[in-house]
Amino acid sequence: YYTGAQKFPSSEAIALSERPGKQRSLLLIYWKPSKSLTWRQVADGGADSTIATVAANIKKYPHKFFLNIYHEPEDNVRPDPSSGMTPEDYADMYRHVVTKLRGHGVTNAVYVWNVMGYSGWEKYLDGLYPGDAYVDWLAYDPYAKDNRFPTVASVINRSRSDIGWPGYYEWVTAKVPDKPIMLAEWGVDLKSNSDPASVLRGDMASQLAPYPRVKALVYWNEHGVGNYRIDETTSKGLALGAAYRDLAAQPIFNTIDPTSAP
């Protein structure tokens, strides 16, 4: 995560992405152009000097990478039109940042629009979307909690028939029919699931078959509201880690030549 004009991508991130003898890892960088300005202020040019600094740093990086601009905006929305934090302010901010980066000659950033994608925020999603010309990948952040999601497939599209919510995957594929989708954060909660390892078992090729637009799954290996670590030393943690290693070794995730990373 980066805020403002911190050096980016950092030398640590670059070092982690280089894996001699293996395919280079693709960086997914989360960036908020300002910590103190509203979306409207950024859209109106308040962070332009920061954007210029970041653009100069980005151009030094010789590879393509994913740039996630101000992720999970839903819980930051303030509907008051004077707040500077409406969905429309966010969309204007996103468009402005992408336009400025392109204007500074950035060509290696793949722009990610990353929302939570939960049913409770669906009323904001249309307004938050910046438009096809500014977004390369669509992303959202589903998690498996409380024994409600027994497989990875069940996490991908969480519908709510009681409020007419088809699930984020269905919603976004209808709205944007031609862009790849990633789970930019996902994970299985060690605290609230009785058998978290079981969620990661099963053939992923068949589980992902109904969701052909999903092209990347980025596991959130961290504590937070829950605990999603795959390196915990508890019995449940060790089982989850083993299940994750088995999942990562499945053929569907290992089809690319190690030299082919962009």
Side-chain angles (χ1 to χ4, degrees):
Y1 292 88
Y2 296 86
T3 300
Q6 299 175 47
K7 186 176 180 183
F8 136 152
S10 68
S11 57
E12 292 83 3
I14 293 172
L16 284 171
S17 73
E18 300 296 337
R19 304 189 302 161
K22 300 179 181 180
Q23 178 175 318
R24 184 180 65 256
S25 296
L26 302 180
L27 293 177
L28 170 60
I29 292 178
Y30 293 69
W31 179 47
K32 295 182 179 181
S34 174
K35 200 172 184 178
S36 58
L37 300 178
T38 66
W39 294 331
R40 172 49 49 198
Q41 289 169 325
V42 175
D44 289 345
D48 282 1
S49 61
T50 295
I51 296 170
T53 299
V54 167
N57 289 331
I58 288 174
K59 290 191 292 183
K60 297 176 185 176
Y61 185 61
H63 307 295
K64 293 278 189 180
F65 72 100
F66 292 108
L67 181 57
N68 191 337
I69 300 173
Y70 214 116
H71 75 298
E72 295 188 345
E74 295 103 310
D75 60 350
N76 296 113
V77 167
R78 299 203 297 272
D80 181 350
S82 66
S83 68
M85 297 292 285
T86 67
E88 293 70 27
D89 291 325
Y90 173 88
D92 284 347
M93 176 276 300
Y94 193 107
R95 288 189 287 263
H96 179 80
V97 172
V98 172
T99 298
K100 296 299 288 186
L101 290 174
R102 288 172 174 168
H104 286 298
V106 170
T107 59
N108 57 334
V110 177
Y111 297 104
V112 179
W113 181 61
N114 183 187
V115 295
M116 295 180 188
Y118 300 139
S119 57
W121 303 110
E122 56 89 17
K123 62 184 177 181
Y124 295 141
L125 290 177
D126 276 305
L128 288 166
Y129 186 59
D132 293 357
Y134 301 90
V135 174
D136 297 312
W137 279 61
L138 310 159
Y140 63 117
D141 301 339
Y143 287 89
K145 300 179 180 179
D146 305 317
N147 294 319
R148 290 183 295 148
F149 306 100
T151 63
V152 175
S154 68
V155 175
I156 291 175
N157 194 60
R158 296 158 51 170
S159 60
R160 287 270 311 270
S161 58
D162 57 323
I163 62 171
W165 173 241
Y168 181 81
Y169 182 89
E170 295 296 330
W171 176 85
V172 82
T173 52
K175 183 175 182 65
V176 188
D178 59 353
K179 294 184 184 295
I181 298 171
M182 73 166 67
L183 274 58
E185 293 179 20
W186 72 284
V188 184
D189 183 20
L190 281 166
K191 291 181 178 179
S192 64
N193 285 288
S194 57
D195 184 9
S198 67
V199 180
L200 299 186
R201 299 192 184 108
D203 177 59
M204 287 305 301
S206 59
Q207 288 197 52
L208 291 174
Y211 307 105
R213 296 271 299 280
V214 173
K215 302 298 183 183
L217 293 88
V218 184
Y219 194 91
W220 180 250
N221 186 40
E222 189 53 273
H223 299 285
V225 177
N227 181 358
Y228 305 94
R229 300 288 304 189
I230 56 174
D231 58 358
E232 291 285 331
T233 57
T234 61
S235 58
K236 284 204 299 185
L238 290 170
L240 181 66
Y244 184 84
R245 287 191 295 274
D246 290 343
L247 179 148
Q250 291 192 31
I252 192 173
F253 299 124
N254 296 278
T255 61
I256 298 175
D257 184 270
T259 64
S260 65

